[in-house]
Structure formats: C-alpha cells, structure tokens
Amino acid sequence: QVQLVESGGGSVQAGGSLRLSCTVTGYTVKSMSMTWFRQAPGKEREGVASINLYGVIKYADSLKGRFTISRDNAKNTLYLQMNSLEPEDTAMYYCAADPRAILWFQLFRGGDYDYWGQGTQVTVSS
C-alpha cells in the first residue's frame, strides 16, 4: 500500500523560508511522478512543482523561481524548498504521486495521480 506523509508546514513571516517533505512508503520515489499541489481557501487546487518519472521538473510560472523541488532516493522523500515566501503562498500543500510516467503537460492535472498525502498547512503573514 502506497502512503504519502507530508510535513514541514508552519507559520512564517513574508520573506521567510520553509521546506516541505513528503515521505513515501510502499513505493520508491525515483519510480514515480510526483507533484506538489496547493489549495487556498476559496480557490482551486493548483500545481506548484513536479518531478516526473524521468526527472523532468516543472514549476508553476507564478513562483518566479522561489521554490525548488527535489527528491532524496535514499530517504524515499520528496522535498519542496520554499524561499521568499509571500502571503499569497498561504495554502494547504499536498503531495501527489503516481507510478506512471506522466507527461510534462499533464503534470499539474490532479486527476492523473493515484496517491495523495493528507496535506500540510503553510501560512505566511505580512
């Protein structure tokens, strides 16, 4: 059974940094396409950053280079380093994974992922 557990969320002031983690059990991160999604109250879920089965990385255009996605195969964990956080980054962040090689243009389509974590809250104050 594949399980994803996020951690690392919290409350920070604008300009601060956080690193989110998504630890996977039941499968190996290097064999999965994985994406960080977020959803703010009253807004639709959006893709933030992805790394697919082949290591291809995709970021949301709105991030302006502030976030970095990475994975540690030895720890079987996906990370999202978030720098220069803005109040607009406030949301619940979810990790999603799928063992298929999701194509680049499909990476931010939530319906293509079979496995989801429970989410971790990020709150950025001004």
Side-chain angles (χ1 to χ4, degrees):
Q1 182 178 358
V2 179
Q3 290 188 323
L4 282 61
V5 179
E6 301 101 330
S7 61
S11 297
V12 297
Q13 290 191 326
S17 298
L18 285 173
R19 188 178 78 159
L20 305 184
S21 300
C22 174
T23 300
V24 179
T25 56
Y27 217 88
T28 57
V29 294
K30 66 179 181 181
S31 300
M32 305 179 87
S33 297
M34 301 188 72
T35 292
W36 287 100
F37 290 88
R38 68 184 181 186
Q39 187 166 21
K43 294 188 177 181
E44 292 187 355
R45 182 179 60 198
E46 62 176 347
V48 175
S50 296
I51 181 167
N52 80 355
L53 182 62
Y54 302 117
V56 175
I57 290 176
K58 179 179 181 177
Y59 294 103
D61 293 338
S62 61
L63 295 181
K64 306 169 195 173
R66 297 181 295 118
F67 292 7
T68 303
I69 189 171
S70 63
R71 64 188 179 196
D72 185 327
N73 296 335
K75 295 183 178 180
N76 218 36
T77 299
L78 179 76
Y79 299 102
L80 184 68
Q81 178 67 44
M82 306 187 294
N83 299 327
S84 302
L85 283 163
E86 302 171 353
E88 293 73 24
D89 296 317
T90 295
M92 184 71 80
Y93 284 70
Y94 298 92
C95 173
D98 197 278
R100 296 171 298 147
I102 297 176
L103 300 178
W104 187 87
F105 72 93
Q106 296 173 304
L107 285 170
F108 286 174
R109 285 172 23 177
D112 288 329
Y113 294 86
D114 283 346
Y115 305 106
W116 291 79
Q118 81 290 349
T120 186
Q121 177 68 38
V122 172
T123 303
V124 184
S125 57
S126 58

